[in-house]
Amino acid sequence: MSNYSNIDSKLIHGGIDGDENTGAVNIPIFQTSTYKQDGLGKDRGYEYSRTGNPTREALEALISDLEGGVAGFAFASGMAATTAVLSLFKTGDKIIISSNVYGGTFRVLDQVFNNFGITYEIVETSDLDLLEKSIDQNVKAIFIESPANPILTITDLREVALIGKKHNILTIVDNTFMTPYLQRPISLGVDIVVHSATKYLGGHSDLVAGLAVVNSEELAERLGFIQNATGGVLQPFDSFLLIRGIKTLGVRMDRHIENATFIAEHLKTNSAVKAIYYPGLPDSQGYEINKKQASGPGGMLSFELNEKHNVNKFFESLDFVTLAESLGGVESLICHPSSMTHACIPFEIRQKVGIVENLIRLSVGIENKNDILADLEQAFLKSYEA
Ligand SMILES: *Cc1c(COP(=O)(O)O)cnc(C)c1O
C-alpha cells in the first residue's frame, strides 16, 4: 500500500506501479496468450490471457484505485464493458436509462438485450420524482450519464444512488465524460462505473477500450465471471497504451476545462449560436449539482447553430477542428449528433430529448484556445447564408 491519497499521484503510481522483477518503471507488455504450468494444477497465477494477463491486470488495478472501487475490468471497447455489465441481468428485468444516454447504449438495449427479454425505459433522470415514479417491480437497474451525451444534462448522482438503495436496485454510471479525475460515482454511492476509455482516459485517439469498476466483492465475482465467459477483453498492448494515457489525464483535463470554459463563454455571446450547453456556465442546467459531485465541468460542450447558418457548410469550413466521431483526445473533435453519434436513436426520440438537426457537439482539445476559437469563428462566417 502506498502512502499517497491524491488523485494526481494515483494517476501515475496507482494500481501496480512498475515491474517488481526488473525495476522497470513501466509495466511490461505481456504479449502472451498462455502460461507454462509447473505441473498439473500448478500454475503461477496465470493460465490463459482471456482469464488473466499481467498488463491488463495492472490497468484493472489502476482504474479500480482511481474510481475507489473493489475491482476493475478491462474490455475491448466501451460497448464491450457496457455489454458485460448489462449481462448481469436476466429475462424479465427492466433497466431505466437516462434520456440522453450514449447512442450505442440505447442500441444494444433496444436491438440486442431486448431479444433476450431484458427491457428498458427511457426516463429524464435529472427529474428525480419522475425517476422514482418510473420504478416498478421489474426495474433492476438505473443506467445514467452525468453529464449526459450530448446536451450535457446533469443528474444528481448521490440522489440516484439513494433511490437505487431504497428500491434495492443497482445504479450504474457511464463516467466517460468526467473521468475519475473529476468525478468518482462510487464515492457518491453508485454500484458500478463504466467507461469508454477510448475517450479521455486513453486521451490520444489511438485506441478503443472499455473499463468497468464495481463496489462490492459480490459484483466483482459476477462481473469477473462474465468477463472471462464472454471474452471481450482488452489486449496487452492496448492495456499498456491506456496505462500510459492515464498518467497524463490530470494535466490534460485541466487544459480541456480551461479551453472549454473559454470557448463556451465566447460562443455564448456569438450571434451564430442559438443555444449553448456547457456544465461550466453558471446558468446551465444542473450547474450547482455538478459542482457538488464533480471537481470540474469537463471538456465537452454542445451548441445549436443559428438557422441563418448552414450546418454542413460550417463543418466543411473548419480548418483543424476535425469533423469526426469520438471525443476526449488531445485534438479538438466536432460532430453532428443527430446524423453521427446519435443516429441510431429514432427521430421522434431524438427530438424529444433535444438532439435537434442544428445541434453540434464539440470535444474541446488542448490546442491553443485562441486558435480553436478563431477556427470556429471563421467557419461561422463562411456558413452564414441568410
Ligand atoms: C464512446 C462512448 C461509449 C462507447 O464506447 P466505445 O469505446 O466506442 O465502445 C459509451 N459511452 C459514452 C459516453 C461514449 O462517449
Side-chain angles (χ1 to χ4, degrees):
M1 274 288 110
S2 303
N3 61 358
Y4 53 81
S5 58
N6 202 297
I7 188 93
D8 295 307
S9 309
K10 270 192 194 174
L11 288 168
I12 292 153
H13 299 292
I16 297 164
D17 191 18
D19 180 38
E20 277 293 316
N21 292 324
T22 61
V25 295
N26 288 301
I27 193 87
I29 303 165
F30 286 89
Q31 194 71 37
T32 188
S33 62
T34 192
Y35 305 83
K36 180 182 181 220
Q37 306 194 9
D38 298 321
L40 286 180
K42 281 197 234 157
D43 62 61
R44 304 181 201 174
Y46 300 96
E47 297 167 344
Y48 187 60
S49 276
R50 168 160 39 74
T51 318
N53 177 283
T55 317
R56 193 178 88 223
E57 274 180 14
L59 169 65
E60 293 175 331
L62 174 60
I63 193 63
S64 178
D65 222 2
L66 293 175
E67 290 285 3
V70 166
F73 301 90
F75 296 90
S77 69
M79 283 320 302
T82 294
T83 296
V85 167
L86 293 176
S87 303
L88 292 166
F89 302 98
K90 59 180 196 307
T91 305
D93 290 353
K94 186 158 101 184
I95 322 273
I96 288 177
I97 55 175
S98 43
S99 55
N100 267 292
V101 85
Y102 176 72
T105 302
F106 168 79
R107 181 172 54 193
V108 79
L109 279 164
D110 189 54
Q111 295 186 44
V112 180
F113 284 95
N114 237 345
N115 297 334
F116 302 105
I118 296 169
T119 59
Y120 66 90
E121 186 177 336
I122 300 172
V123 176
E124 180 47 66
T125 51
S126 59
D127 182 340
L128 295 168
D129 289 335
L130 189 65
L131 172 62
E132 194 151 15
K133 280 201 200 92
S134 316
I135 298 174
D136 61 31
Q137 77 215 37
N138 295 326
V139 171
K140 294 289 150 54
I142 307 169
F143 190 118
I144 54 178
E145 291 173 36
S146 181
N149 199 3
I151 62 165
L152 306 157
T153 322
I154 303 294
T155 292
D156 192 322
L157 298 181
R158 252 189 215 97
E159 292 296 332
V160 170
L162 285 175
I163 291 172
K165 287 207 166 66
K166 183 169 150 199
H167 294 270
N168 203 20
I169 58 183
L170 289 176
T171 47
I172 305 163
V173 169
D174 181 334
N175 203 26
T176 299
F177 275 33
M178 286 276 107
T179 82
Y181 181 67
L182 300 178
Q183 174 171 284
R184 292 181 285 283
I186 287 174
S187 73
L188 305 170
V190 164
D191 298 299
I192 303 176
V193 170
V194 296
H195 279 284
S196 170
T198 312
K199 317 294 169 54
Y200 286 107
L201 293 173
H204 296 75
S205 306
D206 56 5
L207 82 141
V208 173
L211 297 168
V213 180
V214 297
N215 73 343
S216 73
E217 291 293 351
E218 189 235 327
L219 283 172
E221 185 128 342
R222 289 172 64 200
L223 193 59
F225 176 83
I226 289 168
Q227 183 194 38
N228 184 47
T230 59
V233 294
L234 192 65
Q235 294 305 311
F237 182 62
D238 290 342
S239 300
F240 163 83
L241 277 181
L242 191 45
I243 293 170
R244 177 182 152 114
I246 288 172
K247 286 183 199 290
T248 58
L249 179 68
V251 287
R252 285 187 285 109
M253 288 314 289
D254 288 347
R255 177 72 89 83
H256 282 299
I257 292 170
E258 182 193 328
N259 286 3
T261 304
F262 175 84
I263 299 293
E265 278 164 358
H266 280 81
L267 293 196
K268 211 179 153 199
T269 57
N270 192 307
S271 62
V273 174
K274 195 172 156 193
I276 175 133
Y277 304 98
Y278 180 58
L281 292 173
D283 55 357
S284 65
Q285 178 274 340
Y287 175 76
E288 290 299 333
I289 294 169
N290 193 61
K291 262 181 97 163
K292 262 195 327 192
Q293 65 192 15
S295 58
M300 296 300 299
L301 61 86
S302 290
F303 61 91
E304 276 180 47
L305 197 61
N306 191 305
E307 283 85 4
K308 293 194 169 106
H309 294 256
N310 180 309
V311 175
N312 195 36
K313 208 155 174 195
F314 169 74
F315 285 121
E316 287 178 359
S317 305
L318 289 164
D319 173 23
F320 72 86
V321 173
T322 307
L323 177 64
E325 304 265 0
S326 203
L327 60 106
V330 290
E331 63 289 281
S332 291
L333 296 179
I334 200 158
C335 87
H336 185 229
S338 68
S339 72
M340 295 168 70
T341 49
H342 290 68
C344 57
I345 297 175
F347 179 79
E348 303 75 51
I349 298 182
R350 286 206 308 263
Q351 294 300 308
K352 236 175 79 184
V353 302
I355 308 172
V356 292
E357 297 305 301
N358 58 341
L359 185 75
I360 292 169
R361 188 186 80 182
L362 176 63
S363 170
V364 183
I366 63 171
E367 302 99 336
N368 179 282
K369 60 189 176 191
N370 293 303
D371 290 346
I372 301 170
L373 183 63
D375 197 10
L376 296 172
E377 283 176 339
Q378 62 84 25
F380 286 145
L381 280 181
K382 286 188 188 138
S383 61
Y384 187 76
E385 283 193 330

